[in-house]
Amino acid sequence: MTEIIIIRHGETEWNITGRFQGHSDIPLSAAGHEQAELLGKNIALDGIDKIYASDLIRAVETAQPLAARFRLPVEKDEALRELNFGTWEGRYFSEINEETPDLMKQFYRDPESIDIPGIENFQEFRRRVAGRVREIAAQNKGRRIVLISHGASIRILFADILSMPVRAIWHVSQFNTAVNRIRFEDDGFAAITLMNDTAHLSM
């Protein structure tokens, strides 16, 4: 059995102000750094074998306290990046909702059908993230691996594992530094054993 622990990055200023981040390289806020420290200190693990993180700074900074605790390097992986939101990147949710409320509703109800210039195709996004996570699991059989990624990336992975339609992904909560555990059998069968856990923040 292989365990993949996939964790959302800590808080950023853009999370606070409600802006689409995507591939924009936004660092953690002061509160985000505190969350990362609490994660590294309090997460209930007696050992891990490897740590991978999206190559975006908010994921790398989230991984660093955990890496220091277990004396492991952080392996940066572009395939674990967030969804590319195209021309919506950097824009405020409220601004887009005010300009095009129907388009915003469509994004949350049927994201695959939306036409935003430059947005990443959701099926390609699914193959990118879920394919890479399954590849990491296959390469590390019998180990416990931590991945630091992003909200939509984790949701699209869950859609792949649970055979959910893409339109259902926004019904899954992922708080900053939320911990999720997935068990992979040797044949690739996967089961989610923990979802959206932030107990480490209240210790």
Coordinates of all heavy atoms in Angstrom, one line a residue, residues 14-74:
W14 N -3.9 37.1 -2.1 CA -5.0 37.0 -3.1 C -6.1 36.1 -2.6 O -7.3 36.3 -3.1 CB -4.4 36.4 -4.4 CG -3.6 37.5 -5.2 CD1 -3.1 38.7 -4.7 CD2 -3.3 37.5 -6.6 NE1 -2.5 39.3 -5.7 CE2 -2.6 38.6 -6.9 CE3 -3.6 36.6 -7.6 CZ2 -2.1 38.9 -8.1 CZ3 -3.1 36.9 -8.9 CH2 -2.4 38.0 -9.2
N15 N -5.9 35.1 -1.8 CA -7.0 34.4 -1.1 C -7.8 35.3 -0.3 O -9.1 35.2 -0.3 CB -6.4 33.3 -0.2 CG -5.8 32.1 -1.0 OD1 -4.8 31.5 -0.5 ND2 -6.3 31.7 -2.1
I16 N -7.2 36.2 0.4 CA -7.9 37.1 1.3 C -8.8 38.1 0.5 O -9.9 38.3 0.9 CB -6.9 37.9 2.2 CG1 -6.1 37.0 3.1 CG2 -7.7 38.9 3.0 CD1 -4.9 37.7 3.7
T17 N -8.2 38.6 -0.6 CA -8.9 39.6 -1.3 C -9.8 39.1 -2.4 O -10.5 39.8 -3.1 CB -7.9 40.6 -1.9 OG1 -7.0 39.9 -2.8 CG2 -7.2 41.4 -0.9
G18 N -9.8 37.7 -2.6 CA -10.7 37.1 -3.6 C -10.3 37.3 -5.0 O -11.0 37.9 -5.8
R19 N -9.1 36.9 -5.4 CA -8.6 37.0 -6.8 C -8.2 35.6 -7.3 O -7.7 34.7 -6.6 CB -7.4 37.9 -6.8 CG -7.6 39.3 -6.4 CD -6.4 40.2 -6.2 NE -5.8 40.5 -7.5 CZ -4.7 41.3 -7.6 NH1 -4.1 41.8 -6.6 NH2 -4.3 41.6 -8.8
F20 N -8.4 35.4 -8.6 CA -8.0 34.2 -9.2 C -6.5 34.1 -9.3 O -5.9 35.0 -9.9 CB -8.6 34.1 -10.6 CG -10.1 33.7 -10.6 CD1 -11.0 34.7 -10.7 CD2 -10.5 32.4 -10.5 CE1 -12.4 34.4 -10.8 CE2 -11.8 32.1 -10.5 CZ -12.8 33.1 -10.6
Q21 N -5.9 33.1 -8.8 CA -4.4 33.0 -8.8 C -3.8 32.2 -9.9 O -3.0 32.6 -10.7 CB -3.9 32.4 -7.4 CG -4.2 33.3 -6.3 CD -3.6 32.8 -5.0 OE1 -2.7 33.3 -4.4 NE2 -4.2 31.7 -4.5
G22 N -4.3 30.9 -10.1 CA -3.9 30.1 -11.2 C -2.4 29.9 -11.2 O -1.8 29.6 -10.2
H23 N -1.8 30.2 -12.3 CA -0.3 30.1 -12.5 C 0.4 31.3 -12.0 O 1.7 31.3 -12.0 CB 0.1 29.8 -13.9 CG -0.3 28.4 -14.3 ND1 0.3 27.8 -15.5 CD2 -1.1 27.5 -13.8 CE1 -0.2 26.6 -15.6 NE2 -1.0 26.4 -14.6
S24 N -0.3 32.4 -11.5 CA 0.4 33.5 -11.0 C 1.2 33.1 -9.7 O 0.7 32.4 -8.9 CB -0.6 34.6 -10.6 OG -1.4 35.0 -11.8
D25 N 2.4 33.6 -9.6 CA 3.3 33.2 -8.6 C 3.2 34.1 -7.3 O 4.1 34.9 -7.1 CB 4.7 33.1 -9.1 CG 5.6 32.0 -8.4 OD1 5.0 31.2 -7.6 OD2 6.8 31.9 -8.7
I26 N 2.2 33.8 -6.5 CA 1.9 34.6 -5.4 C 2.4 34.0 -4.1 O 2.1 32.8 -3.8 CB 0.4 34.9 -5.3 CG1 -0.2 35.3 -6.6 CG2 0.1 35.8 -4.1 CD1 0.5 36.6 -7.2
P27 N 3.2 34.7 -3.3 CA 3.8 34.1 -2.0 C 2.7 34.0 -0.9 O 1.6 34.6 -1.0 CB 4.9 35.1 -1.6 CG 4.4 36.4 -2.2 CD 3.7 36.1 -3.5
L28 N 3.0 33.3 0.1 CA 2.2 33.2 1.3 C 2.1 34.6 2.0 O 3.0 35.3 2.0 CB 2.7 32.2 2.3 CG 2.7 30.7 1.8 CD1 3.3 29.8 3.0 CD2 1.4 30.2 1.4
S29 N 0.9 34.8 2.6 CA 0.8 35.9 3.5 C 1.4 35.6 4.8 O 1.9 34.5 5.1 CB -0.7 36.2 3.7 OG -1.3 35.1 4.4
A30 N 1.4 36.6 5.7 CA 1.9 36.3 7.1 C 1.2 35.2 7.8 O 1.8 34.3 8.4 CB 1.9 37.6 7.9
A31 N -0.2 35.2 7.6 CA -1.0 34.1 8.2 C -0.7 32.8 7.5 O -0.7 31.7 8.1 CB -2.5 34.5 8.0
G32 N -0.4 32.8 6.2 CA -0.1 31.6 5.4 C 1.2 31.0 5.9 O 1.3 29.8 6.1
H33 N 2.2 31.8 6.2 CA 3.5 31.3 6.8 C 3.2 30.7 8.2 O 3.8 29.6 8.5 CB 4.5 32.4 6.9 CG 5.2 32.7 5.6 ND1 6.1 31.9 5.1 CD2 5.1 33.8 4.8 CE1 6.6 32.4 3.9 NE2 5.9 33.6 3.8
E34 N 2.3 31.3 9.0 CA 2.0 30.7 10.3 C 1.3 29.4 10.1 O 1.6 28.4 10.8 CB 1.1 31.7 11.1 CG 0.8 31.2 12.5 CD -0.1 32.1 13.2 OE1 -0.3 33.3 12.8 OE2 -0.5 31.8 14.4
Q35 N 0.4 29.3 9.1 CA -0.3 28.0 8.8 C 0.7 26.9 8.4 O 0.6 25.8 8.9 CB -1.3 28.2 7.7 CG -2.5 29.0 8.1 CD -3.4 29.4 6.9 OE1 -2.9 29.3 5.8 NE2 -4.6 29.8 7.2
A36 N 1.7 27.3 7.6 CA 2.7 26.3 7.1 C 3.5 25.8 8.3 O 3.9 24.7 8.4 CB 3.6 27.0 6.1
E37 N 3.9 26.7 9.2 CA 4.6 26.3 10.4 C 3.8 25.4 11.3 O 4.3 24.4 11.8 CB 5.0 27.6 11.2 CG 6.1 28.5 10.6 CD 7.4 27.8 10.5 OE1 7.7 26.9 11.2 OE2 8.2 28.3 9.6
L38 N 2.5 25.7 11.5 CA 1.7 24.8 12.3 C 1.5 23.4 11.6 O 1.5 22.4 12.3 CB 0.3 25.4 12.5 CG 0.3 26.6 13.4 CD1 -1.0 27.4 13.4 CD2 0.6 26.2 14.9
L39 N 1.4 23.5 10.3 CA 1.3 22.2 9.5 C 2.5 21.4 9.8 O 2.5 20.2 10.1 CB 1.1 22.5 8.0 CG 1.2 21.3 7.1 CD1 0.0 20.4 7.2 CD2 1.4 21.8 5.6
G40 N 3.7 22.0 9.6 CA 5.0 21.3 9.7 C 5.2 20.7 11.1 O 5.7 19.6 11.3
K41 N 4.7 21.5 12.1 CA 4.9 21.1 13.5 C 3.9 20.0 14.0 O 4.2 19.1 14.7 CB 4.8 22.3 14.4 CG 4.9 22.1 15.9 CD 4.7 23.4 16.7 CE 4.6 23.1 18.2 NZ 4.4 24.4 18.9
N42 N 2.6 20.2 13.6 CA 1.5 19.5 14.2 C 0.9 18.3 13.4 O 0.2 17.5 13.9 CB 0.4 20.4 14.6 CG 0.8 21.4 15.6 OD1 1.6 21.1 16.5 ND2 0.2 22.6 15.5
I43 N 1.2 18.2 12.1 CA 0.6 17.2 11.3 C 1.0 15.8 11.9 O 2.2 15.6 12.3 CB 1.0 17.2 9.8 CG1 0.2 16.3 9.0 CG2 2.5 17.0 9.6 CD1 0.4 16.4 7.5
A44 N 0.0 14.9 12.0 CA 0.2 13.7 12.7 C 0.9 12.6 11.8 O 0.2 11.8 11.3 CB -1.1 13.2 13.3
L45 N 2.2 12.7 11.7 CA 2.9 11.8 10.9 C 4.2 11.4 11.6 O 4.9 12.2 12.2 CB 3.3 12.4 9.5 CG 2.2 12.8 8.5 CD1 2.8 13.5 7.4 CD2 1.5 11.5 8.1
D46 N 4.5 10.1 11.6 CA 5.7 9.6 12.2 C 6.9 9.5 11.2 O 8.0 9.2 11.6 CB 5.5 8.3 13.0 CG 5.0 7.2 12.0 OD1 4.9 7.4 10.8 OD2 4.7 6.1 12.5
G47 N 6.6 9.7 10.0 CA 7.6 9.7 9.0 C 7.1 9.8 7.6 O 5.9 9.5 7.4
I48 N 7.8 10.4 6.7 CA 7.5 10.4 5.3 C 8.7 10.2 4.5 O 9.8 10.3 4.9 CB 6.8 11.8 4.9 CG1 7.8 13.0 5.2 CG2 5.5 12.0 5.5 CD1 7.2 14.3 4.8
D49 N 8.5 9.7 3.2 CA 9.7 9.3 2.4 C 10.1 10.4 1.4 O 11.3 10.5 1.1 CB 9.3 8.0 1.7 CG 9.1 6.9 2.6 OD1 10.1 6.5 3.2 OD2 8.0 6.4 2.8
K50 N 9.1 11.2 0.9 CA 9.4 12.2 -0.1 C 8.4 13.3 0.0 O 7.3 13.1 0.4 CB 9.4 11.7 -1.5 CG 10.7 11.0 -2.0 CD 10.5 10.7 -3.5 CE 11.8 10.0 -4.0 NZ 11.7 9.7 -5.5
I51 N 8.9 14.5 -0.4 CA 8.0 15.7 -0.5 C 8.1 16.3 -1.9 O 9.2 16.7 -2.3 CB 8.3 16.8 0.6 CG1 8.2 16.2 2.0 CG2 7.4 18.0 0.4 CD1 8.7 17.2 3.1
Y52 N 6.9 16.4 -2.5 CA 6.8 17.1 -3.8 C 6.0 18.3 -3.6 O 5.1 18.3 -2.8 CB 6.2 16.2 -4.9 CG 6.9 15.0 -5.3 CD1 6.8 13.8 -4.6 CD2 7.6 15.0 -6.5 CE1 7.4 12.6 -5.0 CE2 8.3 13.8 -6.9 CZ 8.2 12.7 -6.2 OH 8.8 11.5 -6.6
A53 N 6.3 19.4 -4.4 CA 5.4 20.6 -4.3 C 5.3 21.1 -5.7 O 6.2 21.0 -6.5 CB 6.0 21.6 -3.4
S54 N 4.1 21.7 -6.0 CA 4.0 22.6 -7.2 C 5.2 23.5 -7.2 O 5.6 23.9 -6.1 CB 2.7 23.3 -7.1 OG 2.7 24.5 -7.8
D55 N 5.6 23.9 -8.3 CA 6.8 24.8 -8.4 C 6.4 26.3 -8.1 O 7.3 27.1 -8.1 CB 7.5 24.7 -9.8 CG 6.6 25.2 -10.9 OD1 5.3 25.2 -10.8 OD2 7.1 25.5 -12.0
L56 N 5.1 26.6 -7.9 CA 4.7 27.9 -7.5 C 5.1 28.2 -6.1 O 5.0 27.3 -5.2 CB 3.2 28.1 -7.7 CG 2.8 27.9 -9.2 CD1 1.3 28.0 -9.3 CD2 3.5 29.0 -10.1
I57 N 5.5 29.5 -5.8 CA 6.1 29.8 -4.5 C 5.2 29.5 -3.3 O 5.7 29.1 -2.2 CB 6.7 31.2 -4.5 CG1 7.5 31.5 -3.3 CG2 5.5 32.2 -4.6 CD1 8.3 32.8 -3.3
R58 N 3.9 29.7 -3.5 CA 3.0 29.5 -2.3 C 3.0 28.0 -1.9 O 2.8 27.7 -0.7 CB 1.6 30.0 -2.6 CG 0.9 29.4 -3.8 CD -0.3 30.2 -4.1 NE -1.2 29.7 -5.2 CZ -1.0 30.0 -6.5 NH1 0.0 30.8 -6.9 NH2 -1.8 29.5 -7.4
A59 N 3.2 27.1 -2.8 CA 3.3 25.7 -2.5 C 4.6 25.3 -1.9 O 4.7 24.6 -0.9 CB 3.0 24.8 -3.7
V60 N 5.7 25.9 -2.5 CA 7.0 25.6 -2.0 C 7.2 26.1 -0.5 O 7.7 25.4 0.3 CB 8.1 26.2 -2.9 CG1 9.5 26.0 -2.3 CG2 8.0 25.6 -4.3
E61 N 6.7 27.3 -0.3 CA 6.8 27.9 1.1 C 6.0 27.1 2.1 O 6.4 27.0 3.2 CB 6.3 29.4 1.0 CG 7.3 30.3 0.3 CD 6.8 31.7 0.3 OE1 5.6 32.0 0.4 OE2 7.6 32.6 0.2
T62 N 4.9 26.6 1.6 CA 4.1 25.7 2.5 C 4.8 24.4 2.9 O 4.7 23.9 4.0 CB 2.7 25.4 1.9 OG1 2.0 26.6 1.6 CG2 1.8 24.5 2.8
A63 N 5.6 23.9 1.9 CA 6.3 22.6 2.1 C 7.5 22.8 3.0 O 7.9 21.8 3.7 CB 6.7 22.1 0.8
Q64 N 8.1 23.9 3.1 CA 9.4 24.1 3.7 C 9.4 23.7 5.2 O 10.4 23.0 5.6 CB 9.9 25.5 3.5 CG 10.4 25.7 2.1 CD 10.7 27.1 1.7 OE1 10.3 28.1 2.4 NE2 11.4 27.3 0.6
P65 N 8.5 24.1 6.1 CA 8.6 23.7 7.5 C 8.4 22.2 7.6 O 9.1 21.6 8.5 CB 7.4 24.4 8.1 CG 7.2 25.6 7.3 CD 7.4 25.1 5.9
L66 N 7.6 21.5 6.8 CA 7.4 20.1 6.9 C 8.7 19.4 6.4 O 9.2 18.4 7.0 CB 6.3 19.7 6.0 CG 5.8 18.2 6.0 CD1 5.3 17.9 7.4 CD2 4.7 18.0 5.0
A67 N 9.3 19.9 5.4 CA 10.6 19.4 4.9 C 11.7 19.5 5.9 O 12.5 18.6 6.1 CB 11.0 20.1 3.6
A68 N 11.7 20.6 6.6 CA 12.7 20.8 7.7 C 12.6 19.8 8.8 O 13.5 19.3 9.3 CB 12.7 22.3 8.2
R69 N 11.3 19.6 9.2 CA 11.0 18.6 10.3 C 11.5 17.2 9.9 O 12.1 16.6 10.8 CB 9.5 18.6 10.5 CG 9.1 17.5 11.5 CD 7.6 17.5 11.7 NE 7.1 16.3 12.3 CZ 5.8 16.0 12.5 NH1 4.9 16.9 12.2 NH2 5.4 14.9 13.0
F70 N 11.3 16.8 8.7 CA 11.7 15.5 8.3 C 13.0 15.4 7.6 O 13.4 14.3 7.1 CB 10.6 14.8 7.5 CG 9.3 14.5 8.3 CD1 8.2 15.4 8.2 CD2 9.3 13.4 9.1 CE1 7.1 15.1 9.0 CE2 8.2 13.1 9.9 CZ 7.1 14.0 9.8
R71 N 13.7 16.6 7.4 CA 15.0 16.6 6.8 C 15.0 16.1 5.4 O 15.9 15.2 5.1 CB 16.1 15.9 7.7 CG 16.2 16.6 9.1 CD 17.2 15.9 10.0 NE 17.3 16.5 11.3 CZ 18.0 16.0 12.3 NH1 18.8 15.0 12.1 NH2 18.0 16.6 13.4
L72 N 14.1 16.5 4.6 CA 13.9 16.1 3.3 C 14.0 17.3 2.3 O 13.5 18.4 2.7 CB 12.6 15.4 3.1 CG 12.4 14.0 3.8 CD1 11.0 13.6 3.7 CD2 13.3 13.0 3.1
P73 N 14.4 17.1 1.1 CA 14.3 18.2 0.1 C 12.9 18.3 -0.4 O 12.1 17.4 -0.3 CB 15.3 17.7 -1.0 CG 15.3 16.2 -0.9 CD 15.1 15.9 0.6
V74 N 12.6 19.5 -0.9 CA 11.3 19.7 -1.6 C 11.5 19.5 -3.1 O 12.3 20.3 -3.7 CB 10.7 21.1 -1.3 CG1 9.4 21.3 -2.1 CG2 10.5 21.2 0.2

